[in-house]
Amino acid sequence: MIKAYLGVDVGSVSTNLVIMDENGQLLASSYLRTNGRPIQTVQEGIQALGRELAQEVNIMGCGTTGSARYLTSMIIGADVVKNEITAHAIAASHEIENVHTIIEIGGQDSKIIILRGGVVTDFAMNTVCAAGTGSFLDQQASRLCIPIEEFGGYAAKARNPVRIAGRCAVFAESDMIHKQQLGHNLEDIVAGLCEALVRNYMNNVGKGKEILAPVVFQGGVAANLGLVQAFNKYLGFEVLVPRHHGVMGAIGAAYLARDAVGKKGQTSFKGFDLEKIDFRTTSFECKGCSNACEVVQFFENKNLIARWGDRCGKWELQVG
Ligand code: SF4
């Protein structure tokens, strides 16, 4: 049996899972849509990995990250729970020695992480403006009837990328329509859109940040060659795209699990057969004071295992 580590990154849009060996080699990975059902998505994802690898690997540790990291940690029995900034920084640092900047663009959000000497010194996130995220490109690609996988190919063929206003998704779309009406070709418009997204990212998330090479570009959007070229052009040097750029958060969680179990000694992983466990959440409004907190309760096979949402700790103390 191969000693292995499981990392799970659960966000509002996607759920990424990886299994890697002790040396950081990826043995399996999966990308699933969260679809507002994080519990079921994690259960299904773990079971699918189990069908693929349960006979070959011995899970020595597991970690979670992403916006649903605490919930996920209770589902799988995580040994470590860390925020996305730490997880992405750990994964990129293992990939590129002495990485100084991480550009991360996902479907619904984007972030920048600044590292110096292997330590995170600054970061910023954008969860508000759609123009700096992958969903904007998805929308424009479908409006132009171009499959998103071919978007980068179009951008690569551009000779004179048109300048498209990228300050906001609504302006960008109307400006793009205007440029189409003026007769610009699709390749130049697509490249212009990529450049607009990069400008938007730099003016919002990257504002005031010292962006030094090496720069790692990760997240699902890093698969888009048009974006890679636009970043290279803007920065004046080449950004590096890791092979597993879409699951770096989960990879970071797996590395963190490896370190945590090294100290803790034993994993709390519940195993791959999660379908046998019934997980359920309920909530109620506490009437203890005017805060009227919505207290969430999490059950495993009818046993209450966690509560959160109470600002004063009143309900937390009664768990167990
Ligand atoms: S949980 Fe605490 S802070 Fe929240 S409503 Fe109840 S008593 Fe008030």
Side-chain angles (χ1 to χ4, degrees):
M1 295 282 260
I2 304 167
K3 289 182 180 174
Y5 297 88
L6 168 69
V8 187
D9 179 2
V10 186
S12 56
V13 178
S14 68
T15 294
N16 302 321
L17 303 99
V18 302
I19 292 180
M20 69 176 203
D21 71 12
E22 292 183 287
N23 304 314
Q25 289 300 315
L26 222 59
L27 303 174
S29 71
S30 72
Y31 169 98
L32 304 165
R33 290 260 166 194
T34 308
N35 286 333
R37 305 162 60 243
I39 297 175
Q40 292 88 338
T41 308
V42 169
Q43 281 181 293
E44 287 163 15
I46 296 278
Q47 284 162 220
L49 285 179
R51 283 194 294 275
E52 194 180 334
L53 280 178
Q55 306 304 319
E56 296 164 40
V57 298
N58 189 7
I59 298 295
M60 307 298 289
C62 56
T64 61
T65 188
S67 54
R69 58 188 178 273
Y70 291 108
L71 179 69
T72 308
S73 78
M74 286 180 276
I75 297 171
I76 69 171
D79 302 300
V80 64
V81 184
K82 288 280 180 194
N83 62 56
E84 300 100 300
I85 300 296
T86 306
H88 281 283
I90 291 282
S93 298
H94 276 92
E95 187 79 20
I96 307 289
E97 204 178 332
N98 202 24
V99 56
H100 279 140
T101 312
I102 300 168
I103 292 170
E104 208 270 339
I105 305 184
Q108 298 286 326
D109 61 11
S110 54
K111 51 182 94 64
I112 189 165
I113 306 170
I114 306 294
L115 297 100
R116 297 292 180 263
V119 177
V120 175
T121 56
D122 198 6
F123 70 91
M125 290 179 78
N126 160 36
T127 52
V128 184
C129 177
T133 69
S135 64
F136 171 67
L137 279 191
D138 279 346
Q139 281 166 15
Q140 301 317 319
S142 78
R143 223 192 61 75
L144 293 168
C145 301
I146 301 175
I148 188 67
E149 308 79 50
E150 293 173 22
F151 217 64
Y154 274 83
K157 287 187 207 136
R159 288 175 182 265
N160 299 298
V162 292
R163 186 165 177 99
I164 289 173
R167 194 153 39 96
C168 131
V170 179
F171 284 142
E173 181 160 334
S174 60
D175 199 23
M176 189 180 74
I177 293 167
H178 176 61
K179 296 288 169 15
Q180 280 182 287
Q181 287 164 347
L182 288 178
H184 291 284
N185 65 41
L186 263 184
E187 287 81 1
D188 288 342
I189 289 173
V190 168
L193 267 175
C194 293
E195 290 184 4
L197 191 147
V198 167
R199 275 199 311 281
N200 178 287
Y201 175 92
M202 289 299 178
N203 292 332
N204 289 296
V205 188
K207 193 173 182 182
K209 303 283 184 268
E210 190 187 24
I211 298 173
L212 298 180
V215 173
V216 170
F217 178 22
Q218 55 197 41
V221 173
N224 190 314
L225 192 62
L227 256 287
V228 175
Q229 286 182 341
F231 271 114
N232 291 347
K233 186 172 169 184
Y234 187 99
L235 293 169
F237 56 81
E238 290 199 357
V239 297
L240 307 167
V241 179
R243 192 152 49 109
H244 304 295
H245 56 81
V247 291
M248 294 294 272
I251 290 175
Y255 275 118
L256 286 159
R258 190 182 69 175
D259 296 344
V261 171
K263 291 178 194 138
K264 198 173 118 178
Q266 204 184 351
T267 184
S268 310
F269 181 50
K270 290 179 181 171
F272 289 108
D273 285 337
L274 288 182
E275 88 262 37
K276 292 178 186 155
I277 306 174
D278 177 35
F279 294 106
R280 196 165 48 88
T281 49
T282 62
S283 64
F284 64 91
E285 187 179 294
C286 175
K287 302 199 184 317
C289 76
S290 59
N291 281 333
C293 299
E294 187 190 1
V295 182
V296 180
Q297 307 190 104
F298 189 66
F299 295 86
E300 177 179 331
N301 290 336
K302 296 190 179 153
N303 299 317
L304 179 62
I305 60 167
R307 275 196 187 116
W308 62 88
D310 50 337
R311 289 191 214 171
C312 66
K314 171 179 173 175
W315 296 99
E316 194 185 334
L317 294 172
Q318 295 183 11
V319 173

Coordinates of all heavy atoms in Angstrom, one line a residue, residues 67-97:
S67 N -14.0 27.8 1.3 CA -15.0 28.4 2.2 C -15.8 27.5 3.0 O -16.3 27.8 4.1 CB -15.9 29.3 1.3 OG -16.5 28.5 0.3
A68 N -15.9 26.2 2.6 CA -16.7 25.2 3.4 C -15.7 24.3 4.1 O -16.0 23.1 4.3 CB -17.6 24.4 2.5
R69 N -14.5 24.8 4.5 CA -13.5 23.9 5.0 C -13.8 23.3 6.4 O -13.5 22.1 6.7 CB -12.1 24.6 5.1 CG -12.1 25.9 6.0 CD -10.8 26.7 5.8 NE -10.8 27.9 6.5 CZ -11.2 29.1 6.1 NH1 -11.7 29.1 4.9 NH2 -11.1 30.2 6.8
Y70 N -14.6 24.1 7.2 CA -14.9 23.5 8.6 C -15.9 22.4 8.4 O -15.8 21.4 9.1 CB -15.4 24.6 9.5 CG -14.2 25.6 9.9 CD1 -14.1 26.9 9.3 CD2 -13.2 25.1 10.7 CE1 -13.1 27.7 9.6 CE2 -12.1 25.9 11.0 CZ -12.1 27.2 10.5 OH -11.0 28.0 10.8
L71 N -16.9 22.7 7.6 CA -18.0 21.7 7.4 C -17.3 20.4 6.8 O -17.6 19.3 7.3 CB -19.0 22.2 6.4 CG -20.1 21.3 6.0 CD1 -21.1 21.1 7.2 CD2 -20.9 21.9 4.8
T72 N -16.5 20.6 5.8 CA -15.8 19.5 5.2 C -14.9 18.7 6.1 O -14.8 17.5 6.1 CB -15.0 20.0 4.0 OG1 -15.8 20.8 3.2 CG2 -14.5 18.8 3.1
S73 N -14.3 19.4 7.0 CA -13.4 18.8 8.0 C -14.2 17.8 8.9 O -13.7 16.7 9.2 CB -12.6 19.8 8.8 OG -13.5 20.3 9.8
M74 N -15.4 18.2 9.2 CA -16.2 17.3 10.0 C -16.7 16.1 9.2 O -16.9 15.0 9.8 CB -17.4 18.0 10.6 CG -16.9 19.0 11.7 SD -18.3 19.9 12.4 CE -18.4 21.2 11.3
I75 N -16.9 16.3 8.0 CA -17.4 15.1 7.1 C -16.3 14.1 7.0 O -16.6 12.9 7.1 CB -17.8 15.7 5.7 CG1 -19.0 16.6 5.9 CG2 -18.2 14.5 4.8 CD1 -19.4 17.4 4.6
I76 N -15.1 14.5 6.7 CA -14.0 13.6 6.4 C -13.1 13.2 7.6 O -12.4 12.2 7.5 CB -13.1 14.0 5.2 CG1 -12.2 15.2 5.6 CG2 -14.0 14.4 4.0 CD1 -11.2 15.5 4.5
G77 N -13.2 14.0 8.6 CA -12.3 13.7 9.8 C -11.0 14.3 9.5 O -10.0 13.6 9.6
A78 N -10.9 15.6 9.2 CA -9.6 16.2 8.7 C -8.7 16.3 9.9 O -9.1 16.6 11.1 CB -9.9 17.6 8.1
D79 N -7.4 16.2 9.6 CA -6.3 16.4 10.6 C -5.9 17.9 10.6 O -5.3 18.3 11.6 CB -5.1 15.6 10.2 CG -5.5 14.1 10.1 OD1 -5.9 13.6 11.1 OD2 -5.4 13.5 9.0
V80 N -6.2 18.6 9.6 CA -5.9 20.1 9.6 C -6.9 20.8 8.7 O -7.4 20.3 7.7 CB -4.4 20.2 9.0 CG1 -4.3 19.8 7.6 CG2 -3.9 21.6 9.2
V81 N -7.2 22.1 9.1 CA -8.1 22.9 8.4 C -7.4 24.3 8.3 O -7.0 24.9 9.2 CB -9.4 23.1 9.3 CG1 -10.4 24.0 8.5 CG2 -10.0 21.8 9.7
K82 N -7.2 24.7 7.0 CA -6.5 26.0 6.8 C -7.2 26.8 5.7 O -7.9 26.3 4.8 CB -5.1 25.7 6.3 CG -4.2 25.2 7.4 CD -3.6 26.3 8.3 CE -2.7 25.7 9.3 NZ -2.4 26.5 10.4
N83 N -7.0 28.1 5.8 CA -7.7 29.0 4.8 C -7.0 28.8 3.4 O -5.9 28.2 3.3 CB -7.6 30.5 5.2 CG -6.2 30.9 5.4 OD1 -5.4 30.9 4.5 ND2 -5.8 31.4 6.6
E84 N -7.6 29.4 2.4 CA -7.2 29.2 1.0 C -5.8 29.8 0.8 O -5.0 29.4 0.0 CB -8.2 29.8 0.0 CG -9.5 29.2 0.0 CD -10.5 30.1 0.8 OE1 -10.2 30.3 2.0 OE2 -11.5 30.5 0.2
I85 N -5.6 31.0 1.4 CA -4.3 31.7 1.2 C -3.2 30.8 1.6 O -2.2 30.6 0.8 CB -4.3 33.0 2.1 CG1 -5.5 33.9 1.7 CG2 -3.0 33.7 1.9 CD1 -5.5 34.5 0.3
T86 N -3.3 30.2 2.8 CA -2.2 29.3 3.2 C -2.0 28.1 2.3 O -0.9 27.7 1.9 CB -2.5 28.8 4.7 OG1 -2.7 30.0 5.5 CG2 -1.3 28.0 5.3
A87 N -3.2 27.5 2.0 CA -3.1 26.3 1.1 C -2.5 26.6 -0.2 O -1.6 25.8 -0.7 CB -4.5 25.7 1.0
H88 N -2.9 27.7 -0.9 CA -2.4 28.0 -2.2 C -0.9 28.3 -2.1 O -0.1 28.0 -3.0 CB -3.1 29.2 -2.8 CG -4.4 28.7 -3.4 ND1 -4.5 28.1 -4.6 CD2 -5.7 28.9 -3.0 CE1 -5.7 27.8 -4.9 NE2 -6.5 28.3 -3.9
A89 N -0.5 29.0 -1.0 CA 0.9 29.4 -0.9 C 1.8 28.2 -0.7 O 2.9 28.1 -1.2 CB 1.0 30.4 0.3
I90 N 1.3 27.2 0.1 CA 2.1 26.0 0.4 C 2.3 25.2 -0.9 O 3.4 24.8 -1.2 CB 1.3 25.1 1.5 CG1 1.4 25.8 2.8 CG2 1.9 23.7 1.5 CD1 2.7 25.7 3.6
A91 N 1.2 25.1 -1.7 CA 1.2 24.3 -2.9 C 2.2 25.0 -3.9 O 3.0 24.3 -4.5 CB -0.2 24.2 -3.5
A92 N 2.1 26.3 -4.1 CA 2.9 27.0 -5.0 C 4.4 26.9 -4.6 O 5.3 26.8 -5.4 CB 2.5 28.4 -5.2
S93 N 4.6 27.0 -3.3 CA 6.0 27.0 -2.8 C 6.7 25.6 -3.1 O 7.9 25.6 -3.3 CB 6.1 27.3 -1.3 OG 5.6 28.5 -1.1
H94 N 5.9 24.6 -3.0 CA 6.4 23.2 -3.3 C 6.7 23.1 -4.8 O 7.6 22.4 -5.2 CB 5.5 22.1 -2.9 CG 5.6 21.8 -1.4 ND1 4.9 22.4 -0.4 CD2 6.5 20.9 -0.8 CE1 5.3 21.9 0.7 NE2 6.2 21.0 0.5
E95 N 5.9 23.8 -5.6 CA 6.0 23.7 -7.1 C 7.2 24.5 -7.6 O 8.0 24.1 -8.4 CB 4.7 24.2 -7.7 CG 4.6 24.0 -9.2 CD 4.2 22.6 -9.6 OE1 3.7 21.9 -8.7 OE2 4.4 22.2 -10.7
I96 N 7.3 25.8 -7.1 CA 8.3 26.7 -7.6 C 9.1 27.2 -6.4 O 8.6 27.9 -5.6 CB 7.7 27.9 -8.4 CG1 6.7 27.5 -9.4 CG2 8.7 28.9 -8.9 CD1 7.3 26.8 -10.7
E97 N 10.4 26.9 -6.5 CA 11.2 27.4 -5.4 C 11.3 28.9 -5.3 O 11.4 29.5 -6.3 CB 12.6 26.8 -5.6 CG 13.4 26.7 -4.3 CD 14.8 26.1 -4.6 OE1 14.9 25.3 -5.5 OE2 15.7 26.4 -3.8

